[in-house]
Amino acid sequence: MWGSRMALHRLQRIAVAPLSVSGGAPTKVQREMSTLPRVYVTRQIPPEGLRLLHKSGQVQLELWDSDDVPVPRKELLQRVKGVDGLLCVLTEKVDAELLDAAGPNLKVLSTMSVGYDHLNLEELKKRGIHVGYTPDVLTDAVAELTVALLLTTSRRLIEAAHEAKTGGWGTWRTLWLCGYELANSTVGILGLGRIGVAIAERLAPFKVRKFIYTDVAPRPELAKAINAEYVSMDELAKQSDFLAVCCALTPETNKICDRNLFSKMKKTSIFINTSRGGVVNQEDLYEALSTGQIAAAGLDVTVPEPLPTNHPLFTLKNCVILPHIASASYTTRNAMSALAANNLLLGLRGEPMIKGLKL
């Protein structure tokens, strides 16, 4: 498992050799006139990735120069025409339409994300396009944010801060703003991967009594690291005082957290999702929260994103919603951009990517 800081230092040291041009170092004019591969970057990614792309001397770089506004779809379809490589983020839907617009030159796609549900993998496989992504480097940041969201939700910190600021803080009361402790609790993990293990490692010092998990199959090596017990989905719901969702979004996990799951959970349970919004049926979650079927929920991901401000979930005091910031640390985002850049450059050279999807 890579820590994000160690990963960034390693990625900064990876030697992606500049393209050689006979007759000495290539001048700016020579590069402009050369047949360097064309690359389009769909966002102003963090500086480490852009620095690697510029310094490589391997590509003609075009960039949607904004971090605040995604490239409009119509613009994107124009810009990708004839490119050899594409570096995107999770806001870009890479489907048949986009791949048709890019044309046959496109050989490498690198996404600055650990999730890849925005990519049509079948279309990419059919066209022989190599795909890189950025797992592992964001493990620490996501685990930290998950723990922060869990504590914020279970101890009702947003409610408490609001009461203090708006005059609700009166005399001391015996049960006012009481929440739920991690000590002696059972923590359930839906989808045990590196992030799930990292979350459990951070929660263990809080004197958690037991860790349980479910997945498509038992994962004994990962479970051993946190002394976690494999259980069925039903048992995960029934036993968990805190349920953290860490699974990928796939056809099998789409809306897997629904009325059936929530109905089996304890009325005192806390539900946390930092994976993908699509794994939750939000209408069922609203019903579970508003009727007291479960105690509270903390979400870093929703459908859609951003979630409209008039969505019913925002009306609930027992639901904390964050704007998809789990990997939002300077170190991690720079490590992600550096890994995405290295994946792209290595793929264009016909070399194995550091982190490539097996299609």
PDB file of all heavy atoms in Angstrom, residues 321-357:
ATOM      1  N   ILE A 321     -23.852  15.787   4.376  1.00  0.00           N
ATOM      2  CA  ILE A 321     -23.466  15.601   2.983  1.00  0.00           C
ATOM      3  C   ILE A 321     -22.271  16.501   2.658  1.00  0.00           C
ATOM      4  O   ILE A 321     -22.315  17.714   2.881  1.00  0.00           O
ATOM      5  CB  ILE A 321     -24.637  15.923   2.036  1.00  0.00           C
ATOM      6  CG1 ILE A 321     -25.831  15.008   2.346  1.00  0.00           C
ATOM      7  CG2 ILE A 321     -24.214  15.754   0.574  1.00  0.00           C
ATOM      8  CD1 ILE A 321     -27.078  15.342   1.562  1.00  0.00           C
ATOM      9  N   LEU A 322     -21.221  15.901   2.137  1.00  0.00           N
ATOM     10  CA  LEU A 322     -20.014  16.623   1.719  1.00  0.00           C
ATOM     11  C   LEU A 322     -19.907  16.589   0.192  1.00  0.00           C
ATOM     12  O   LEU A 322     -20.434  15.678  -0.453  1.00  0.00           O
ATOM     13  CB  LEU A 322     -18.768  15.993   2.344  1.00  0.00           C
ATOM     14  CG  LEU A 322     -18.730  15.890   3.870  1.00  0.00           C
ATOM     15  CD1 LEU A 322     -17.431  15.219   4.318  1.00  0.00           C
ATOM     16  CD2 LEU A 322     -18.874  17.261   4.508  1.00  0.00           C
ATOM     17  N   PRO A 323     -19.199  17.548  -0.403  1.00  0.00           N
ATOM     18  CA  PRO A 323     -19.139  17.653  -1.866  1.00  0.00           C
ATOM     19  C   PRO A 323     -18.009  16.840  -2.505  1.00  0.00           C
ATOM     20  O   PRO A 323     -17.165  17.366  -3.215  1.00  0.00           O
ATOM     21  CB  PRO A 323     -18.949  19.155  -2.090  1.00  0.00           C
ATOM     22  CG  PRO A 323     -18.151  19.597  -0.907  1.00  0.00           C
ATOM     23  CD  PRO A 323     -18.646  18.765   0.248  1.00  0.00           C
ATOM     24  N   HIS A 324     -17.972  15.531  -2.245  1.00  0.00           N
ATOM     25  CA  HIS A 324     -17.015  14.602  -2.855  1.00  0.00           C
ATOM     26  C   HIS A 324     -15.566  15.078  -2.670  1.00  0.00           C
ATOM     27  O   HIS A 324     -14.851  15.368  -3.634  1.00  0.00           O
ATOM     28  CB  HIS A 324     -17.312  14.411  -4.347  1.00  0.00           C
ATOM     29  CG  HIS A 324     -16.754  13.139  -4.903  1.00  0.00           C
ATOM     30  ND1 HIS A 324     -17.301  12.494  -5.979  1.00  0.00           N
ATOM     31  CD2 HIS A 324     -15.689  12.383  -4.524  1.00  0.00           C
ATOM     32  CE1 HIS A 324     -16.589  11.406  -6.251  1.00  0.00           C
ATOM     33  NE2 HIS A 324     -15.600  11.329  -5.378  1.00  0.00           N
ATOM     34  N   ILE A 325     -15.141  15.135  -1.419  1.00  0.00           N
ATOM     35  CA  ILE A 325     -13.813  15.676  -1.098  1.00  0.00           C
ATOM     36  C   ILE A 325     -12.894  14.640  -0.442  1.00  0.00           C
ATOM     37  O   ILE A 325     -11.875  15.004   0.144  1.00  0.00           O
ATOM     38  CB  ILE A 325     -13.923  16.903  -0.165  1.00  0.00           C
ATOM     39  CG1 ILE A 325     -14.642  16.542   1.150  1.00  0.00           C
ATOM     40  CG2 ILE A 325     -14.612  18.054  -0.878  1.00  0.00           C
ATOM     41  CD1 ILE A 325     -14.519  17.608   2.228  1.00  0.00           C
ATOM     42  N   ALA A 326     -13.225  13.352  -0.549  1.00  0.00           N
ATOM     43  CA  ALA A 326     -12.459  12.338   0.184  1.00  0.00           C
ATOM     44  C   ALA A 326     -10.969  12.367  -0.153  1.00  0.00           C
ATOM     45  O   ALA A 326     -10.123  12.172   0.722  1.00  0.00           O
ATOM     46  CB  ALA A 326     -13.032  10.946  -0.067  1.00  0.00           C
ATOM     47  N   SER A 327     -10.626  12.597  -1.405  1.00  0.00           N
ATOM     48  CA  SER A 327      -9.205  12.599  -1.788  1.00  0.00           C
ATOM     49  C   SER A 327      -8.610  14.005  -1.811  1.00  0.00           C
ATOM     50  O   SER A 327      -7.490  14.204  -2.294  1.00  0.00           O
ATOM     51  CB  SER A 327      -9.028  11.953  -3.168  1.00  0.00           C
ATOM     52  OG  SER A 327      -9.666  12.725  -4.171  1.00  0.00           O
ATOM     53  N   ALA A 328      -9.353  14.982  -1.266  1.00  0.00           N
ATOM     54  CA  ALA A 328      -8.951  16.383  -1.408  1.00  0.00           C
ATOM     55  C   ALA A 328      -7.916  16.812  -0.382  1.00  0.00           C
ATOM     56  O   ALA A 328      -8.181  17.587   0.531  1.00  0.00           O
ATOM     57  CB  ALA A 328     -10.176  17.290  -1.332  1.00  0.00           C
ATOM     58  N   SER A 329      -6.705  16.281  -0.541  1.00  0.00           N
ATOM     59  CA  SER A 329      -5.546  16.846   0.155  1.00  0.00           C
ATOM     60  C   SER A 329      -4.542  17.223  -0.931  1.00  0.00           C
ATOM     61  O   SER A 329      -4.517  16.620  -2.004  1.00  0.00           O
ATOM     62  CB  SER A 329      -4.924  15.841   1.128  1.00  0.00           C
ATOM     63  OG  SER A 329      -4.167  14.857   0.438  1.00  0.00           O
ATOM     64  N   TYR A 330      -3.721  18.227  -0.654  1.00  0.00           N
ATOM     65  CA  TYR A 330      -2.747  18.675  -1.667  1.00  0.00           C
ATOM     66  C   TYR A 330      -1.827  17.539  -2.083  1.00  0.00           C
ATOM     67  O   TYR A 330      -1.537  17.344  -3.267  1.00  0.00           O
ATOM     68  CB  TYR A 330      -1.928  19.854  -1.125  1.00  0.00           C
ATOM     69  CG  TYR A 330      -2.725  21.118  -0.947  1.00  0.00           C
ATOM     70  CD1 TYR A 330      -3.020  21.606   0.323  1.00  0.00           C
ATOM     71  CD2 TYR A 330      -3.201  21.831  -2.041  1.00  0.00           C
ATOM     72  CE1 TYR A 330      -3.756  22.772   0.498  1.00  0.00           C
ATOM     73  CE2 TYR A 330      -3.934  23.000  -1.884  1.00  0.00           C
ATOM     74  CZ  TYR A 330      -4.211  23.464  -0.605  1.00  0.00           C
ATOM     75  OH  TYR A 330      -4.948  24.614  -0.439  1.00  0.00           O
ATOM     76  N   THR A 331      -1.349  16.770  -1.102  1.00  0.00           N
ATOM     77  CA  THR A 331      -0.427  15.672  -1.401  1.00  0.00           C
ATOM     78  C   THR A 331      -1.076  14.625  -2.275  1.00  0.00           C
ATOM     79  O   THR A 331      -0.507  14.186  -3.278  1.00  0.00           O
ATOM     80  CB  THR A 331       0.069  15.033  -0.094  1.00  0.00           C
ATOM     81  OG1 THR A 331       0.731  16.016   0.696  1.00  0.00           O
ATOM     82  CG2 THR A 331       1.043  13.899  -0.380  1.00  0.00           C
ATOM     83  N   THR A 332      -2.287  14.219  -1.908  1.00  0.00           N
ATOM     84  CA  THR A 332      -2.950  13.151  -2.648  1.00  0.00           C
ATOM     85  C   THR A 332      -3.324  13.579  -4.057  1.00  0.00           C
ATOM     86  O   THR A 332      -3.099  12.833  -5.022  1.00  0.00           O
ATOM     87  CB  THR A 332      -4.193  12.670  -1.881  1.00  0.00           C
ATOM     88  OG1 THR A 332      -3.757  12.000  -0.704  1.00  0.00           O
ATOM     89  CG2 THR A 332      -5.034  11.723  -2.722  1.00  0.00           C
ATOM     90  N   ARG A 333      -3.903  14.759  -4.215  1.00  0.00           N
ATOM     91  CA  ARG A 333      -4.295  15.183  -5.555  1.00  0.00           C
ATOM     92  C   ARG A 333      -3.082  15.357  -6.472  1.00  0.00           C
ATOM     93  O   ARG A 333      -3.135  15.044  -7.665  1.00  0.00           O
ATOM     94  CB  ARG A 333      -5.115  16.474  -5.478  1.00  0.00           C
ATOM     95  CG  ARG A 333      -6.502  16.276  -4.860  1.00  0.00           C
ATOM     96  CD  ARG A 333      -7.457  15.550  -5.800  1.00  0.00           C
ATOM     97  NE  ARG A 333      -8.716  15.200  -5.168  1.00  0.00           N
ATOM     98  CZ  ARG A 333      -9.758  16.018  -5.046  1.00  0.00           C
ATOM     99  NH1 ARG A 333      -9.683  17.263  -5.504  1.00  0.00           N
ATOM    100  NH2 ARG A 333     -10.866  15.602  -4.482  1.00  0.00           N
ATOM    101  N   ASN A 334      -1.953  15.826  -5.933  1.00  0.00           N
ATOM    102  CA  ASN A 334      -0.739  15.907  -6.744  1.00  0.00           C
ATOM    103  C   ASN A 334      -0.219  14.527  -7.101  1.00  0.00           C
ATOM    104  O   ASN A 334       0.246  14.291  -8.218  1.00  0.00           O
ATOM    105  CB  ASN A 334       0.337  16.720  -6.022  1.00  0.00           C
ATOM    106  CG  ASN A 334       0.279  18.195  -6.360  1.00  0.00           C
ATOM    107  OD1 ASN A 334       0.485  18.584  -7.505  1.00  0.00           O
ATOM    108  ND2 ASN A 334      -0.022  19.018  -5.372  1.00  0.00           N
ATOM    109  N   ALA A 335      -0.316  13.578  -6.155  1.00  0.00           N
ATOM    110  CA  ALA A 335       0.107  12.206  -6.441  1.00  0.00           C
ATOM    111  C   ALA A 335      -0.780  11.574  -7.505  1.00  0.00           C
ATOM    112  O   ALA A 335      -0.297  10.844  -8.385  1.00  0.00           O
ATOM    113  CB  ALA A 335       0.080  11.368  -5.160  1.00  0.00           C
ATOM    114  N   MET A 336      -2.074  11.854  -7.440  1.00  0.00           N
ATOM    115  CA  MET A 336      -2.990  11.332  -8.453  1.00  0.00           C
ATOM    116  C   MET A 336      -2.657  11.890  -9.838  1.00  0.00           C
ATOM    117  O   MET A 336      -2.649  11.157 -10.834  1.00  0.00           O
ATOM    118  CB  MET A 336      -4.429  11.677  -8.078  1.00  0.00           C
ATOM    119  CG  MET A 336      -4.965  10.921  -6.880  1.00  0.00           C
ATOM    120  SD  MET A 336      -6.596  11.533  -6.351  1.00  0.00           S
ATOM    121  CE  MET A 336      -7.634  10.962  -7.718  1.00  0.00           C
ATOM    122  N   SER A 337      -2.382  13.192  -9.900  1.00  0.00           N
ATOM    123  CA  SER A 337      -2.091  13.796 -11.204  1.00  0.00           C
ATOM    124  C   SER A 337      -0.763  13.290 -11.759  1.00  0.00           C
ATOM    125  O   SER A 337      -0.628  13.066 -12.965  1.00  0.00           O
ATOM    126  CB  SER A 337      -2.092  15.325 -11.108  1.00  0.00           C
ATOM    127  OG  SER A 337      -0.965  15.812 -10.426  1.00  0.00           O
ATOM    128  N   ALA A 338       0.224  13.086 -10.878  1.00  0.00           N
ATOM    129  CA  ALA A 338       1.519  12.561 -11.319  1.00  0.00           C
ATOM    130  C   ALA A 338       1.377  11.134 -11.830  1.00  0.00           C
ATOM    131  O   ALA A 338       1.972  10.758 -12.848  1.00  0.00           O
ATOM    132  CB  ALA A 338       2.527  12.624 -10.174  1.00  0.00           C
ATOM    133  N   LEU A 339       0.582  10.331 -11.139  1.00  0.00           N
ATOM    134  CA  LEU A 339       0.370   8.952 -11.586  1.00  0.00           C
ATOM    135  C   LEU A 339      -0.382   8.921 -12.908  1.00  0.00           C
ATOM    136  O   LEU A 339      -0.041   8.154 -13.812  1.00  0.00           O
ATOM    137  CB  LEU A 339      -0.396   8.174 -10.511  1.00  0.00           C
ATOM    138  CG  LEU A 339      -0.744   6.714 -10.813  1.00  0.00           C
ATOM    139  CD1 LEU A 339       0.490   5.928 -11.243  1.00  0.00           C
ATOM    140  CD2 LEU A 339      -1.402   6.067  -9.601  1.00  0.00           C
ATOM    141  N   ALA A 340      -1.393   9.767 -13.041  1.00  0.00           N
ATOM    142  CA  ALA A 340      -2.149   9.831 -14.300  1.00  0.00           C
ATOM    143  C   ALA A 340      -1.241  10.251 -15.456  1.00  0.00           C
ATOM    144  O   ALA A 340      -1.335   9.702 -16.565  1.00  0.00           O
ATOM    145  CB  ALA A 340      -3.313  10.795 -14.161  1.00  0.00           C
ATOM    146  N   ALA A 341      -0.352  11.221 -15.207  1.00  0.00           N
ATOM    147  CA  ALA A 341       0.564  11.680 -16.253  1.00  0.00           C
ATOM    148  C   ALA A 341       1.545  10.583 -16.640  1.00  0.00           C
ATOM    149  O   ALA A 341       1.804  10.345 -17.827  1.00  0.00           O
ATOM    150  CB  ALA A 341       1.315  12.926 -15.780  1.00  0.00           C
ATOM    151  N   ASN A 342       2.103   9.908 -15.641  1.00  0.00           N
ATOM    152  CA  ASN A 342       3.046   8.819 -15.928  1.00  0.00           C
ATOM    153  C   ASN A 342       2.367   7.673 -16.660  1.00  0.00           C
ATOM    154  O   ASN A 342       2.940   7.083 -17.582  1.00  0.00           O
ATOM    155  CB  ASN A 342       3.684   8.324 -14.633  1.00  0.00           C
ATOM    156  CG  ASN A 342       4.899   9.139 -14.238  1.00  0.00           C
ATOM    157  OD1 ASN A 342       5.813   9.320 -15.026  1.00  0.00           O
ATOM    158  ND2 ASN A 342       4.909   9.636 -13.016  1.00  0.00           N
ATOM    159  N   ASN A 343       1.146   7.336 -16.258  1.00  0.00           N
ATOM    160  CA  ASN A 343       0.410   6.289 -16.980  1.00  0.00           C
ATOM    161  C   ASN A 343       0.262   6.652 -18.445  1.00  0.00           C
ATOM    162  O   ASN A 343       0.465   5.824 -19.345  1.00  0.00           O
ATOM    163  CB  ASN A 343      -0.980   6.105 -16.358  1.00  0.00           C
ATOM    164  CG  ASN A 343      -0.969   5.280 -15.089  1.00  0.00           C
ATOM    165  OD1 ASN A 343      -0.054   4.512 -14.830  1.00  0.00           O
ATOM    166  ND2 ASN A 343      -1.995   5.442 -14.282  1.00  0.00           N
ATOM    167  N   LEU A 344      -0.089   7.905 -18.708  1.00  0.00           N
ATOM    168  CA  LEU A 344      -0.303   8.370 -20.077  1.00  0.00           C
ATOM    169  C   LEU A 344       0.987   8.291 -20.886  1.00  0.00           C
ATOM    170  O   LEU A 344       1.020   7.746 -21.999  1.00  0.00           O
ATOM    171  CB  LEU A 344      -0.833   9.800 -20.065  1.00  0.00           C
ATOM    172  CG  LEU A 344      -1.136  10.409 -21.432  1.00  0.00           C
ATOM    173  CD1 LEU A 344      -2.406   9.802 -22.005  1.00  0.00           C
ATOM    174  CD2 LEU A 344      -1.281  11.921 -21.328  1.00  0.00           C
ATOM    175  N   LEU A 345       2.066   8.814 -20.323  1.00  0.00           N
ATOM    176  CA  LEU A 345       3.337   8.863 -21.059  1.00  0.00           C
ATOM    177  C   LEU A 345       3.883   7.464 -21.330  1.00  0.00           C
ATOM    178  O   LEU A 345       4.368   7.173 -22.436  1.00  0.00           O
ATOM    179  CB  LEU A 345       4.353   9.690 -20.266  1.00  0.00           C
ATOM    180  CG  LEU A 345       4.036  11.187 -20.148  1.00  0.00           C
ATOM    181  CD1 LEU A 345       4.952  11.853 -19.135  1.00  0.00           C
ATOM    182  CD2 LEU A 345       4.132  11.877 -21.500  1.00  0.00           C
ATOM    183  N   LEU A 346       3.806   6.603 -20.339  1.00  0.00           N
ATOM    184  CA  LEU A 346       4.287   5.233 -20.533  1.00  0.00           C
ATOM    185  C   LEU A 346       3.436   4.500 -21.562  1.00  0.00           C
ATOM    186  O   LEU A 346       3.952   3.764 -22.404  1.00  0.00           O
ATOM    187  CB  LEU A 346       4.280   4.481 -19.208  1.00  0.00           C
ATOM    188  CG  LEU A 346       5.327   4.956 -18.183  1.00  0.00           C
ATOM    189  CD1 LEU A 346       5.043   4.377 -16.803  1.00  0.00           C
ATOM    190  CD2 LEU A 346       6.732   4.584 -18.638  1.00  0.00           C
ATOM    191  N   GLY A 347       2.120   4.707 -21.506  1.00  0.00           N
ATOM    192  CA  GLY A 347       1.235   4.071 -22.475  1.00  0.00           C
ATOM    193  C   GLY A 347       1.517   4.516 -23.895  1.00  0.00           C
ATOM    194  O   GLY A 347       1.492   3.706 -24.831  1.00  0.00           O
ATOM    195  N   LEU A 348       1.820   5.802 -24.068  1.00  0.00           N
ATOM    196  CA  LEU A 348       2.124   6.317 -25.411  1.00  0.00           C
ATOM    197  C   LEU A 348       3.430   5.742 -25.950  1.00  0.00           C
ATOM    198  O   LEU A 348       3.615   5.648 -27.169  1.00  0.00           O
ATOM    199  CB  LEU A 348       2.203   7.850 -25.378  1.00  0.00           C
ATOM    200  CG  LEU A 348       0.862   8.581 -25.234  1.00  0.00           C
ATOM    201  CD1 LEU A 348       1.083  10.062 -24.978  1.00  0.00           C
ATOM    202  CD2 LEU A 348      -0.007   8.367 -26.471  1.00  0.00           C
ATOM    203  N   ARG A 349       4.308   5.361 -25.046  1.00  0.00           N
ATOM    204  CA  ARG A 349       5.574   4.741 -25.465  1.00  0.00           C
ATOM    205  C   ARG A 349       5.449   3.238 -25.660  1.00  0.00           C
ATOM    206  O   ARG A 349       6.426   2.559 -25.978  1.00  0.00           O
ATOM    207  CB  ARG A 349       6.652   5.030 -24.420  1.00  0.00           C
ATOM    208  CG  ARG A 349       7.067   6.489 -24.369  1.00  0.00           C
ATOM    209  CD  ARG A 349       7.943   6.797 -23.180  1.00  0.00           C
ATOM    210  NE  ARG A 349       9.189   6.039 -23.160  1.00  0.00           N
ATOM    211  CZ  ARG A 349      10.149   6.199 -22.243  1.00  0.00           C
ATOM    212  NH1 ARG A 349       9.963   7.063 -21.264  1.00  0.00           N
ATOM    213  NH2 ARG A 349      11.243   5.500 -22.291  1.00  0.00           N
ATOM    214  N   GLY A 350       4.264   2.707 -25.438  1.00  0.00           N
ATOM    215  CA  GLY A 350       4.066   1.269 -25.588  1.00  0.00           C
ATOM    216  C   GLY A 350       4.604   0.465 -24.433  1.00  0.00           C
ATOM    217  O   GLY A 350       4.792  -0.753 -24.554  1.00  0.00           O
ATOM    218  N   GLU A 351       4.846   1.138 -23.293  1.00  0.00           N
ATOM    219  CA  GLU A 351       5.360   0.461 -22.110  1.00  0.00           C
ATOM    220  C   GLU A 351       4.241   0.241 -21.089  1.00  0.00           C
ATOM    221  O   GLU A 351       3.228   0.948 -21.114  1.00  0.00           O
ATOM    222  CB  GLU A 351       6.486   1.292 -21.481  1.00  0.00           C
ATOM    223  CG  GLU A 351       7.678   1.494 -22.409  1.00  0.00           C
ATOM    224  CD  GLU A 351       8.745   2.370 -21.776  1.00  0.00           C
ATOM    225  OE1 GLU A 351       8.697   2.584 -20.542  1.00  0.00           O
ATOM    226  OE2 GLU A 351       9.616   2.857 -22.521  1.00  0.00           O
ATOM    227  N   PRO A 352       4.409  -0.748 -20.202  1.00  0.00           N
ATOM    228  CA  PRO A 352       3.366  -0.997 -19.188  1.00  0.00           C
ATOM    229  C   PRO A 352       3.147   0.232 -18.307  1.00  0.00           C
ATOM    230  O   PRO A 352       4.105   0.869 -17.886  1.00  0.00           O
ATOM    231  CB  PRO A 352       3.938  -2.174 -18.387  1.00  0.00           C
ATOM    232  CG  PRO A 352       4.918  -2.822 -19.281  1.00  0.00           C
ATOM    233  CD  PRO A 352       5.522  -1.717 -20.107  1.00  0.00           C
ATOM    234  N   MET A 353       1.900   0.537 -18.061  1.00  0.00           N
ATOM    235  CA  MET A 353       1.568   1.633 -17.158  1.00  0.00           C
ATOM    236  C   MET A 353       1.866   1.233 -15.713  1.00  0.00           C
ATOM    237  O   MET A 353       1.899   0.050 -15.370  1.00  0.00           O
ATOM    238  CB  MET A 353       0.092   1.988 -17.290  1.00  0.00           C
ATOM    239  CG  MET A 353      -0.318   2.526 -18.645  1.00  0.00           C
ATOM    240  SD  MET A 353      -2.094   2.884 -18.670  1.00  0.00           S
ATOM    241  CE  MET A 353      -2.285   3.485 -20.325  1.00  0.00           C
ATOM    242  N   ILE A 354       2.043   2.221 -14.869  1.00  0.00           N
ATOM    243  CA  ILE A 354       2.241   1.947 -13.448  1.00  0.00           C
ATOM    244  C   ILE A 354       0.977   1.317 -12.881  1.00  0.00           C
ATOM    245  O   ILE A 354       1.018   0.353 -12.110  1.00  0.00           O
ATOM    246  CB  ILE A 354       2.614   3.226 -12.688  1.00  0.00           C
ATOM    247  CG1 ILE A 354       3.892   3.824 -13.255  1.00  0.00           C
ATOM    248  CG2 ILE A 354       2.783   2.940 -11.189  1.00  0.00           C
ATOM    249  CD1 ILE A 354       4.171   5.235 -12.766  1.00  0.00           C
ATOM    250  N   LYS A 355      -0.175   1.889 -13.237  1.00  0.00           N
ATOM    251  CA  LYS A 355      -1.453   1.349 -12.820  1.00  0.00           C
ATOM    252  C   LYS A 355      -2.386   1.320 -14.033  1.00  0.00           C
ATOM    253  O   LYS A 355      -2.956   2.340 -14.400  1.00  0.00           O
ATOM    254  CB  LYS A 355      -2.081   2.204 -11.703  1.00  0.00           C
ATOM    255  CG  LYS A 355      -1.310   2.166 -10.392  1.00  0.00           C
ATOM    256  CD  LYS A 355      -1.407   0.791  -9.718  1.00  0.00           C
ATOM    257  CE  LYS A 355      -0.615   0.772  -8.419  1.00  0.00           C
ATOM    258  NZ  LYS A 355      -0.696  -0.547  -7.756  1.00  0.00           N
ATOM    259  N   GLY A 356      -2.498   0.161 -14.640  1.00  0.00           N
ATOM    260  CA  GLY A 356      -3.361   0.018 -15.809  1.00  0.00           C
ATOM    261  C   GLY A 356      -4.482  -0.962 -15.552  1.00  0.00           C
ATOM    262  O   GLY A 356      -4.304  -1.946 -14.824  1.00  0.00           O
ATOM    263  N   LEU A 357      -5.631  -0.689 -16.147  1.00  0.00           N
ATOM    264  CA  LEU A 357      -6.763  -1.608 -16.029  1.00  0.00           C
ATOM    265  C   LEU A 357      -6.579  -2.774 -17.006  1.00  0.00           C
ATOM    266  O   LEU A 357      -6.160  -2.583 -18.149  1.00  0.00           O
ATOM    267  CB  LEU A 357      -8.066  -0.887 -16.379  1.00  0.00           C
ATOM    268  CG  LEU A 357      -8.679  -0.003 -15.309  1.00  0.00           C
ATOM    269  CD1 LEU A 357      -9.867   0.765 -15.877  1.00  0.00           C
ATOM    270  CD2 LEU A 357      -9.120  -0.822 -14.107  1.00  0.00           C
TER     271      LEU A 357
END
